Amino acid sequence: MTTPLNGPAKALRLAAIGATLVALGGGFAYAAGWVGPAKLTPQRIIDTFEAQAGHHPGYRKNHAKGLCVSGYFQASGQAASLSSARVFSQQNVPVIGRFAIGGANPFAPDTAVPVRSLAIQLSSDDGQVWRTGMNNPPVLAVSTPQGFYDQVLAGAPDPATGKPDPAKMQAFFAAHPESAAFRQWAAGYKPSDSFASTAYNSINAFQLIDAGGKAHPVRWALEPQTPFAPLPGQVDDKQFLQHDLKQRLAQGPLRWTLRLTLAEPGDPVDDPARPWPAERRSIDAGTLVLQQVDGPEQGACRDLNFDPLILPHGIEPSADPILAARSAAYSVSFNRRSHEALSEGAKP
């Protein structure tokens, strides 16, 4: 059932979640050739981020605030028949990762932003690398390039309040019924008290390629093994999630189950706004074990571009055009912050 939008408070809540996702969506639209250069360019998108959050040289242009972590992935072996990727059969695959919150402000309070992300790089012993960036929402709000552009416009902060205009957001969602699944998720979203107890979703679909060359459409999620606890009602610590993660890791490793959900014929594998039926077959592909924090933007993740199209043999992208566009947008952001860091001595 679609969750209705009741009043400005709910519209602002949806806007807060949607805006941090659509920030990259705007970049996607241009990079994929969806929106003409007279309307939207990578330069203009980056300038828009900085106009909203301030100029922060050397930082990522979305998910700017984060910290590096490291650990390993231990395969269960259950996915080895579906993909020839070595990560699904190797016992211990080194992992470099990064937790972050959405948005372009690296100094935002951890709990002020509803979108959380986890990006990881897995390096298997056959020399292959797999990078994947995941977010806590399971779907996006729109299905089309024009929808991304519409959301960029609707989510622009009102100069008088510094926040999106609830009326514009309500009008946007009313004009985009494909946002129903996202709205339903956002309306029921309850933030946990930790990065460690948050689930992270691929959102986009990919294809597992088995040893015989057969493709198996799939989405994946990292499901936390840390029990859920709600975020406290009032948090004064601006580094709350980062401090919490460091404290937890000081006591021992943290674990997530990598769950692969397989599509069936007719499922929307190229539409990130449409969920798949809950009864779809899923596989426990293994366990992500994170062992330590390497420091906010100081560890090995600092110079990594978590491009979702860096895939090992045995995993291929779906035909979702957003994937190719994400790759191009990530490249623009990476090149910009790298240049800023070199020229201004800022932290990448």
Side-chain angles (χ1 to χ4, degrees):
M1 179 182 297
T2 300
T3 303
L5 292 174
N6 296 322
K10 182 172 287 187
L12 279 175
R13 184 183 184 190
L14 290 169
I17 299 174
T20 49
L21 290 176
V22 81
L24 281 181
F28 303 162
Y30 175 83
W34 296 335
V35 179
K39 295 182 179 179
L40 194 63
T41 66
Q43 175 71 37
R44 186 170 179 181
I45 282 293
I46 290 173
D47 290 345
T48 299
F49 295 165
E50 294 183 331
Q52 296 175 3
H55 181 58
H56 303 289
Y59 286 92
R60 297 169 197 257
K61 305 311 174 186
N62 194 22
H63 297 274
K65 185 180 183 182
L67 73 169
C68 300
V69 292
S70 58
Y72 63 92
F73 175 72
Q74 187 171 27
S76 68
Q78 295 184 38
S81 63
L82 297 172
S83 172
S84 60
R86 176 65 174 145
V87 293
F88 295 128
S89 58
Q90 183 178 332
Q91 272 296 298
N92 190 308
V93 181
V95 168
I96 296 170
R98 182 177 185 268
F99 286 98
I101 59 173
N105 182 3
F107 306 108
D110 283 356
T111 57
V113 181
V115 174
R116 301 175 185 175
S117 69
L118 173 56
I120 58 174
Q121 173 183 275
L122 303 92
S123 302
S124 51
D125 57 15
D126 58 355
Q128 297 289 303
V129 171
W130 177 18
R131 295 180 187 172
T132 176
M134 296 158 284
N135 292 283
N136 54 333
V139 292
L140 295 182
V142 292
S143 304
T144 68
Q146 185 61 49
F148 274 123
Y149 188 51
D150 293 344
Q151 196 172 3
V152 170
L153 297 178
D158 185 328
T161 65
K163 299 178 180 180
D165 183 338
K168 290 183 179 178
M169 291 306 303
Q170 286 184 314
F172 165 78
F173 285 120
H176 290 273
E178 72 274 20
S179 67
F182 172 82
R183 286 186 284 124
Q184 186 173 35
W185 173 84
Y189 172 63
K190 294 180 176 60
S192 77
D193 65 344
S194 178
F195 280 132
S197 54
T198 299
Y200 303 95
N201 302 281
S202 69
I203 300 179
N204 302 108
F206 294 78
Q207 297 191 87
L208 303 182
I209 310 299
D210 64 27
K214 182 178 179 181
H216 306 271
V218 65
R219 287 173 175 164
W220 54 74
L222 284 172
E223 299 176 343
Q225 296 184 16
T226 301
F228 176 89
L231 186 70
Q234 181 175 349
V235 177
D236 296 326
D237 183 2
K238 292 186 176 181
Q239 315 296 326
F240 179 83
L241 295 177
Q242 294 197 9
H243 289 159
D244 169 83
L245 190 70
K246 292 176 183 178
Q247 292 170 2
R248 290 175 187 264
L249 285 173
Q251 297 171 6
L254 297 170
R255 292 174 169 83
W256 287 258
T257 299
L258 177 61
R259 184 160 301 281
L260 309 177
T261 299
L262 298 166
E264 293 187 3
D267 286 342
V269 297
D270 302 331
D271 187 346
R274 295 174 61 190
W276 296 345
E279 63 270 19
R280 289 296 176 258
R281 176 189 173 199
S282 68
I283 292 173
D284 173 355
T287 303
L288 172 68
V289 182
L290 295 181
Q291 298 169 295
Q292 66 182 36
V293 170
D294 296 330
E297 301 303 336
Q298 295 300 311
C301 81
R302 186 193 70 170
D303 297 325
L304 282 182
N305 173 15
F306 288 101
D307 182 338
L309 291 189
I310 296 179
L311 301 167
H313 297 313
I315 306 178
E316 295 181 355
S318 66
D320 185 342
I322 293 174
L323 281 171
R326 280 181 70 185
S327 179
Y330 282 26
S331 178
V332 170
S333 175
F334 180 80
N335 290 337
R336 169 69 75 89
R337 69 184 175 89
S338 297
H339 175 75
E340 290 171 345
L342 288 172
S343 62
E344 301 186 38
K347 294 188 300 181

PDB file of all heavy atoms in Angstrom, residues 8 19 35 46 58 78 120 146 166 197 202 233 246 261 265 296 305 311 331 334 344 348:
ATOM      1  N   PRO A   8       3.421  19.053   5.869  1.00  0.00           N
ATOM      2  CA  PRO A   8       4.778  19.486   5.547  1.00  0.00           C
ATOM      3  C   PRO A   8       5.861  18.725   6.298  1.00  0.00           C
ATOM      4  O   PRO A   8       6.956  18.555   5.789  1.00  0.00           O
ATOM      5  CB  PRO A   8       4.771  20.970   5.939  1.00  0.00           C
ATOM      6  CG  PRO A   8       3.651  21.126   6.909  1.00  0.00           C
ATOM      7  CD  PRO A   8       2.616  20.139   6.479  1.00  0.00           C
ATOM      8  N   ALA A  19      16.875  14.088  -1.044  1.00  0.00           N
ATOM      9  CA  ALA A  19      17.839  15.058  -1.550  1.00  0.00           C
ATOM     10  C   ALA A  19      19.253  14.518  -1.525  1.00  0.00           C
ATOM     11  O   ALA A  19      20.043  14.756  -2.438  1.00  0.00           O
ATOM     12  CB  ALA A  19      17.769  16.348  -0.734  1.00  0.00           C
ATOM     13  N   VAL A  35      20.321  14.653 -19.720  1.00  0.00           N
ATOM     14  CA  VAL A  35      19.922  16.052 -19.600  1.00  0.00           C
ATOM     15  C   VAL A  35      20.931  16.900 -20.355  1.00  0.00           C
ATOM     16  O   VAL A  35      22.126  16.752 -20.180  1.00  0.00           O
ATOM     17  CB  VAL A  35      19.872  16.475 -18.113  1.00  0.00           C
ATOM     18  CG1 VAL A  35      19.475  17.933 -17.995  1.00  0.00           C
ATOM     19  CG2 VAL A  35      18.874  15.599 -17.357  1.00  0.00           C
ATOM     20  N   ILE A  46      28.308  19.944  -9.160  1.00  0.00           N
ATOM     21  CA  ILE A  46      29.282  20.118  -8.078  1.00  0.00           C
ATOM     22  C   ILE A  46      29.158  21.518  -7.481  1.00  0.00           C
ATOM     23  O   ILE A  46      29.200  21.708  -6.271  1.00  0.00           O
ATOM     24  CB  ILE A  46      30.705  19.853  -8.595  1.00  0.00           C
ATOM     25  CG1 ILE A  46      30.864  18.363  -8.896  1.00  0.00           C
ATOM     26  CG2 ILE A  46      31.749  20.302  -7.576  1.00  0.00           C
ATOM     27  CD1 ILE A  46      32.168  18.006  -9.565  1.00  0.00           C
ATOM     28  N   GLY A  58      38.979  19.237  -1.516  1.00  0.00           N
ATOM     29  CA  GLY A  58      39.578  17.935  -1.286  1.00  0.00           C
ATOM     30  C   GLY A  58      38.638  16.865  -0.784  1.00  0.00           C
ATOM     31  O   GLY A  58      39.022  15.705  -0.706  1.00  0.00           O
ATOM     32  N   GLN A  78      28.088 -20.613  -0.952  1.00  0.00           N
ATOM     33  CA  GLN A  78      26.754 -20.840  -1.518  1.00  0.00           C
ATOM     34  C   GLN A  78      26.542 -20.120  -2.847  1.00  0.00           C
ATOM     35  O   GLN A  78      25.659 -20.489  -3.620  1.00  0.00           O
ATOM     36  CB  GLN A  78      25.689 -20.393  -0.522  1.00  0.00           C
ATOM     37  CG  GLN A  78      25.658 -21.216   0.759  1.00  0.00           C
ATOM     38  CD  GLN A  78      24.520 -20.796   1.685  1.00  0.00           C
ATOM     39  OE1 GLN A  78      23.415 -20.475   1.231  1.00  0.00           O
ATOM     40  NE2 GLN A  78      24.778 -20.772   2.982  1.00  0.00           N
ATOM     41  N   ILE A 120      32.735  -0.614  -0.183  1.00  0.00           N
ATOM     42  CA  ILE A 120      33.828  -1.537   0.099  1.00  0.00           C
ATOM     43  C   ILE A 120      34.541  -1.934  -1.184  1.00  0.00           C
ATOM     44  O   ILE A 120      33.960  -1.931  -2.265  1.00  0.00           O
ATOM     45  CB  ILE A 120      33.356  -2.807   0.834  1.00  0.00           C
ATOM     46  CG1 ILE A 120      32.287  -3.553   0.025  1.00  0.00           C
ATOM     47  CG2 ILE A 120      32.850  -2.473   2.231  1.00  0.00           C
ATOM     48  CD1 ILE A 120      31.879  -4.888   0.634  1.00  0.00           C
ATOM     49  N   GLN A 146      14.486  11.889 -16.489  1.00  0.00           N
ATOM     50  CA  GLN A 146      13.722  13.112 -16.259  1.00  0.00           C
ATOM     51  C   GLN A 146      13.265  13.194 -14.810  1.00  0.00           C
ATOM     52  O   GLN A 146      13.209  14.277 -14.217  1.00  0.00           O
ATOM     53  CB  GLN A 146      12.509  13.177 -17.188  1.00  0.00           C
ATOM     54  CG  GLN A 146      11.723  14.483 -17.093  1.00  0.00           C
ATOM     55  CD  GLN A 146      12.556  15.696 -17.462  1.00  0.00           C
ATOM     56  OE1 GLN A 146      13.223  15.685 -18.506  1.00  0.00           O
ATOM     57  NE2 GLN A 146      12.540  16.732 -16.631  1.00  0.00           N
ATOM     58  N   PRO A 166       8.282  22.149   1.255  1.00  0.00           N
ATOM     59  CA  PRO A 166       7.408  20.978   1.358  1.00  0.00           C
ATOM     60  C   PRO A 166       6.382  20.892   0.238  1.00  0.00           C
ATOM     61  O   PRO A 166       6.071  19.796  -0.240  1.00  0.00           O
ATOM     62  CB  PRO A 166       6.733  21.153   2.720  1.00  0.00           C
ATOM     63  CG  PRO A 166       7.656  22.019   3.495  1.00  0.00           C
ATOM     64  CD  PRO A 166       8.288  22.946   2.489  1.00  0.00           C
ATOM     65  N   SER A 197      24.642  -1.369  13.083  1.00  0.00           N
ATOM     66  CA  SER A 197      23.332  -2.017  13.067  1.00  0.00           C
ATOM     67  C   SER A 197      22.466  -1.538  11.906  1.00  0.00           C
ATOM     68  O   SER A 197      21.246  -1.674  11.935  1.00  0.00           O
ATOM     69  CB  SER A 197      22.615  -1.768  14.397  1.00  0.00           C
ATOM     70  OG  SER A 197      22.544  -0.384  14.675  1.00  0.00           O
ATOM     71  N   SER A 202      22.473  -2.492  -2.425  1.00  0.00           N
ATOM     72  CA  SER A 202      23.078  -2.134  -3.714  1.00  0.00           C
ATOM     73  C   SER A 202      22.167  -1.226  -4.527  1.00  0.00           C
ATOM     74  O   SER A 202      22.627  -0.484  -5.384  1.00  0.00           O
ATOM     75  CB  SER A 202      23.382  -3.393  -4.530  1.00  0.00           C
ATOM     76  OG  SER A 202      22.191  -4.029  -4.968  1.00  0.00           O
ATOM     77  N   GLY A 233      16.782  10.000  21.137  1.00  0.00           N
ATOM     78  CA  GLY A 233      15.988  11.146  20.709  1.00  0.00           C
ATOM     79  C   GLY A 233      16.780  12.423  20.570  1.00  0.00           C
ATOM     80  O   GLY A 233      16.505  13.247  19.705  1.00  0.00           O
ATOM     81  N   LYS A 246      34.053   3.436  16.434  1.00  0.00           N
ATOM     82  CA  LYS A 246      35.386   3.220  17.002  1.00  0.00           C
ATOM     83  C   LYS A 246      35.315   2.454  18.317  1.00  0.00           C
ATOM     84  O   LYS A 246      36.115   1.541  18.571  1.00  0.00           O
ATOM     85  CB  LYS A 246      36.082   4.566  17.214  1.00  0.00           C
ATOM     86  CG  LYS A 246      36.441   5.293  15.927  1.00  0.00           C
ATOM     87  CD  LYS A 246      37.039   6.665  16.223  1.00  0.00           C
ATOM     88  CE  LYS A 246      37.343   7.431  14.947  1.00  0.00           C
ATOM     89  NZ  LYS A 246      37.879   8.789  15.229  1.00  0.00           N
ATOM     90  N   THR A 261      19.921 -11.457  -3.534  1.00  0.00           N
ATOM     91  CA  THR A 261      18.532 -11.749  -3.900  1.00  0.00           C
ATOM     92  C   THR A 261      18.458 -11.905  -5.407  1.00  0.00           C
ATOM     93  O   THR A 261      18.885 -11.017  -6.153  1.00  0.00           O
ATOM     94  CB  THR A 261      17.591 -10.629  -3.434  1.00  0.00           C
ATOM     95  OG1 THR A 261      17.663 -10.522  -2.007  1.00  0.00           O
ATOM     96  CG2 THR A 261      16.160 -10.934  -3.838  1.00  0.00           C
ATOM     97  N   PRO A 265      12.139 -14.165 -13.947  1.00  0.00           N
ATOM     98  CA  PRO A 265      11.707 -13.537 -15.201  1.00  0.00           C
ATOM     99  C   PRO A 265      10.554 -12.561 -14.976  1.00  0.00           C
ATOM    100  O   PRO A 265       9.601 -12.859 -14.274  1.00  0.00           O
ATOM    101  CB  PRO A 265      11.272 -14.739 -16.055  1.00  0.00           C
ATOM    102  CG  PRO A 265      12.117 -15.866 -15.555  1.00  0.00           C
ATOM    103  CD  PRO A 265      12.241 -15.633 -14.070  1.00  0.00           C
ATOM    104  N   PRO A 296      39.297   8.923  10.048  1.00  0.00           N
ATOM    105  CA  PRO A 296      38.472   9.720   9.127  1.00  0.00           C
ATOM    106  C   PRO A 296      39.303  10.206   7.943  1.00  0.00           C
ATOM    107  O   PRO A 296      40.198  11.036   8.101  1.00  0.00           O
ATOM    108  CB  PRO A 296      37.982  10.878   9.993  1.00  0.00           C
ATOM    109  CG  PRO A 296      38.098  10.372  11.394  1.00  0.00           C
ATOM    110  CD  PRO A 296      39.311   9.482  11.394  1.00  0.00           C
ATOM    111  N   ASN A 305      38.186   5.549  -5.451  1.00  0.00           N
ATOM    112  CA  ASN A 305      36.937   5.935  -6.096  1.00  0.00           C
ATOM    113  C   ASN A 305      36.073   4.680  -6.130  1.00  0.00           C
ATOM    114  O   ASN A 305      36.368   3.736  -6.872  1.00  0.00           O
ATOM    115  CB  ASN A 305      37.226   6.440  -7.512  1.00  0.00           C
ATOM    116  CG  ASN A 305      35.972   6.701  -8.317  1.00  0.00           C
ATOM    117  OD1 ASN A 305      34.879   6.782  -7.774  1.00  0.00           O
ATOM    118  ND2 ASN A 305      36.122   6.814  -9.628  1.00  0.00           N
ATOM    119  N   LEU A 311      34.266  -4.205 -11.402  1.00  0.00           N
ATOM    120  CA  LEU A 311      33.707  -5.517 -11.088  1.00  0.00           C
ATOM    121  C   LEU A 311      34.682  -6.624 -11.463  1.00  0.00           C
ATOM    122  O   LEU A 311      35.420  -6.501 -12.445  1.00  0.00           O
ATOM    123  CB  LEU A 311      32.391  -5.726 -11.852  1.00  0.00           C
ATOM    124  CG  LEU A 311      31.278  -4.710 -11.589  1.00  0.00           C
ATOM    125  CD1 LEU A 311      30.169  -4.845 -12.621  1.00  0.00           C
ATOM    126  CD2 LEU A 311      30.726  -4.908 -10.179  1.00  0.00           C
ATOM    127  N   SER A 331      33.728   9.601 -11.318  1.00  0.00           N
ATOM    128  CA  SER A 331      35.012  10.007 -11.881  1.00  0.00           C
ATOM    129  C   SER A 331      35.183  11.519 -11.817  1.00  0.00           C
ATOM    130  O   SER A 331      36.255  12.026 -11.469  1.00  0.00           O
ATOM    131  CB  SER A 331      35.124   9.525 -13.330  1.00  0.00           C
ATOM    132  OG  SER A 331      36.329   9.944 -13.913  1.00  0.00           O
ATOM    133  N   PHE A 334      35.871  12.458  -8.206  1.00  0.00           N
ATOM    134  CA  PHE A 334      37.209  12.024  -7.792  1.00  0.00           C
ATOM    135  C   PHE A 334      38.284  12.949  -8.357  1.00  0.00           C
ATOM    136  O   PHE A 334      39.205  13.375  -7.646  1.00  0.00           O
ATOM    137  CB  PHE A 334      37.462  10.589  -8.249  1.00  0.00           C
ATOM    138  CG  PHE A 334      38.825  10.061  -7.873  1.00  0.00           C
ATOM    139  CD1 PHE A 334      39.070   9.589  -6.599  1.00  0.00           C
ATOM    140  CD2 PHE A 334      39.847  10.049  -8.799  1.00  0.00           C
ATOM    141  CE1 PHE A 334      40.322   9.111  -6.244  1.00  0.00           C
ATOM    142  CE2 PHE A 334      41.105   9.575  -8.459  1.00  0.00           C
ATOM    143  CZ  PHE A 334      41.344   9.103  -7.172  1.00  0.00           C
ATOM    144  N   GLU A 344      45.664  22.680  -2.984  1.00  0.00           N
ATOM    145  CA  GLU A 344      45.383  23.446  -1.774  1.00  0.00           C
ATOM    146  C   GLU A 344      45.841  22.742  -0.493  1.00  0.00           C
ATOM    147  O   GLU A 344      45.679  23.273   0.593  1.00  0.00           O
ATOM    148  CB  GLU A 344      43.884  23.740  -1.686  1.00  0.00           C
ATOM    149  CG  GLU A 344      43.374  24.529  -2.882  1.00  0.00           C
ATOM    150  CD  GLU A 344      41.918  24.934  -2.712  1.00  0.00           C
ATOM    151  OE1 GLU A 344      41.534  25.274  -1.571  1.00  0.00           O
ATOM    152  OE2 GLU A 344      41.180  24.923  -3.695  1.00  0.00           O
ATOM    153  N   PRO A 348      41.909  14.720   1.155  1.00  0.00           N
ATOM    154  CA  PRO A 348      40.984  14.103   0.211  1.00  0.00           C
ATOM    155  C   PRO A 348      39.906  13.326   0.948  1.00  0.00           C
ATOM    156  O   PRO A 348      40.117  12.915   2.067  1.00  0.00           O
ATOM    157  CB  PRO A 348      41.877  13.166  -0.605  1.00  0.00           C
ATOM    158  CG  PRO A 348      43.272  13.625  -0.382  1.00  0.00           C
ATOM    159  CD  PRO A 348      43.283  14.239   0.975  1.00  0.00           C
TER     160      PRO A 348
END
